[in-house]
Amino acid sequence: MNIVILTAAAVLLIVAFITDVSKQIIPNRLTIFFFGAGVLFHLIAGGIHDGAAAVAGAAAGFVPLLLLHLAKGIGAGDVKLFGALGAWIGVGAVLQLLLYSILYAGLIGVVIAVIYRSFSGKMTVEMTALLLPGDEPKKRQWLRFADSGKKFPFMLAVLPAAVTVRIMLG
């Protein structure tokens, strides 16, 4: 993959990961900027053909996740994120990323289900809070999140999926 494309995708994923994990939101301005920049980059670098491929990549990332969003499976920010990523990395890579993200999310879901089914689950949450670096407010925030029953941020599955796809694509 081109170094510009790889760098843009990495920056988008890192910023989205940070905001999703810390604030449980992926900002529209982030995804809109990267979508537009991806399409513009491909138009300039390869003409109308590459620009159209960028739009197709965006659609390939956006449409399947829109269906998941409508089924209340993920947030709208994740949908837009995959659209922006698709504009940069193309149809094949974004579909692979989607597949691995869903697989990692399923694995994380199983782990969470096992942890929260028993007393050992409660102990795991408490021990994680004790071991977390940082001050007490961060630890209390983790405990509130763990006890709230909220869904985990999808970016916890997307980031390892992106690493997996990068390794596979070489």
Side-chain angles (χ1 to χ4, degrees):
M1 220 181 261
N2 179 315
I3 190 70
V4 174
I5 295 169
L6 186 61
T7 302
V11 168
L12 174 57
L13 284 169
I14 290 167
V15 173
F17 178 84
I18 291 168
T19 60
D20 195 24
V21 170
S22 65
K23 299 176 184 168
Q24 295 182 334
I25 190 167
I26 299 173
N28 286 339
R29 66 181 180 266
L30 176 70
T31 55
I32 291 168
F33 172 80
F34 274 90
F35 166 75
V39 172
L40 184 61
F41 170 80
H42 287 291
L43 274 170
I44 291 169
I48 194 75
H49 179 267
D50 285 5
V55 172
F62 186 86
V63 172
L65 286 176
L66 179 61
L67 298 174
L68 279 175
H69 172 67
L70 294 173
K72 307 256 188 257
I74 60 169
D78 299 310
V79 177
K80 293 175 272 186
L81 171 72
F82 271 78
L85 277 169
W88 280 100
I89 65 176
V91 173
V94 81
L95 290 176
Q96 283 184 325
L97 180 60
L98 175 59
L99 172 70
Y100 284 107
S101 296
I102 291 170
L103 290 173
Y104 278 112
L107 179 63
I108 292 168
V110 167
V111 169
I112 288 173
V114 168
I115 287 174
Y116 283 101
R117 292 210 134 182
S118 64
F119 173 74
S120 64
K122 200 67 162 151
M123 292 303 295
T124 302
V125 169
E126 296 291 334
M127 290 303 293
T128 303
L130 287 174
L131 298 174
L132 277 176
D135 55 3
E136 283 303 312
K138 287 268 188 209
K139 293 177 183 190
R140 284 194 301 274
Q141 180 182 4
W142 161 253
L143 289 170
R144 278 194 307 274
F145 174 76
D147 288 338
S148 71
K150 289 183 182 176
K151 298 173 191 163
F152 66 89
F154 190 50
M155 285 304 299
L156 292 176
V158 175
L159 206 55
V163 172
T164 302
V165 170
R166 176 66 184 128
I167 290 169
M168 291 181 67
L169 293 178

